[in-house]
Amino acid sequence: MSKTETADRIFDKAVENNRKNAPISKDCSLSEFRDLLHAGPEKEDYKKHYDLGMAYLDMGLFDEASEEFSIAGNDPSMTIDCIIKVGRCYAEKGEYNRALAALEEGLSLEAIGETAATTLRYAIIKICEQTGDRER
């Protein structure tokens, strides 16, 4: 899916979720757009945040993606994947130390299983390879 198709899909979802049925212009600002997208049911919808994070990630909006993944990570079934995605957002911005810190924090979670720990370690290794860090 191209970035334009992804943006159009998100825009359509924002229109669908808009409780007030107010007209929405494709010229609205990103913050107005996010407010419209987040309008909807009061119950937290972690999947919606995850999907929005993926769309932002695809569009190169790493700060926005990281924020959405941080919210979606509150769902225990998505925690590890979201931690990895937050780490990726930081790495994409060149903030490798923050990426590693996020991933290493995931390793410290109490209920982390061996598969999740291995996945996090792999993500850490990939960032270390990118930066030439052979000490970790």
Side-chain angles (χ1 to χ4, degrees):
M1 183 178 292
S2 74
K3 289 182 183 182
T4 302
E5 291 171 328
T6 301
D8 286 343
R9 185 175 59 84
I10 293 171
F11 183 82
D12 291 342
K13 188 161 179 117
V15 171
E16 174 188 321
N17 286 340
N18 183 5
R19 282 189 277 181
K20 299 174 187 169
N21 294 322
I24 302 172
S25 163
K26 285 200 177 193
D27 296 325
C28 69
S29 72
L30 182 59
S31 64
E32 291 170 328
F33 175 75
R34 291 181 71 205
D35 290 344
L36 291 171
L37 187 62
H38 286 234
E42 295 300 319
K43 182 182 172 216
E44 196 66 61
D45 182 356
Y46 298 119
K47 178 77 170 111
K48 179 171 69 172
H49 289 285
Y50 181 85
D51 291 342
L52 184 55
M54 289 301 297
Y56 285 148
L57 185 62
D58 289 344
M59 290 186 282
L61 300 171
F62 303 118
D63 292 331
E64 291 81 0
S66 178
E67 184 179 324
E68 296 300 327
F69 291 131
S70 294
I71 295 168
N74 289 314
D75 179 339
S77 70
M78 293 191 274
T79 301
I80 298 303
D81 189 33
C82 288
I83 289 170
I84 291 168
K85 296 285 192 283
V86 168
R88 179 177 169 194
C89 289
Y90 288 135
E92 292 284 347
K93 291 175 25 176
E95 297 178 13
Y96 299 109
N97 288 334
R98 287 183 76 183
L100 291 169
L103 295 168
E104 288 169 347
E105 185 177 326
L107 286 173
S108 69
L109 295 174
E110 278 184 35
I112 190 170
E114 192 54 41
T115 301
T118 300
T119 303
L120 286 167
R121 286 187 197 104
Y122 180 77
I124 290 168
I125 289 167
K126 294 301 284 181
I127 291 174
C128 289
E129 283 179 351
Q130 285 179 317
T131 61
D133 180 356
R134 301 209 184 273
E135 299 298 316
R136 289 185 193 254

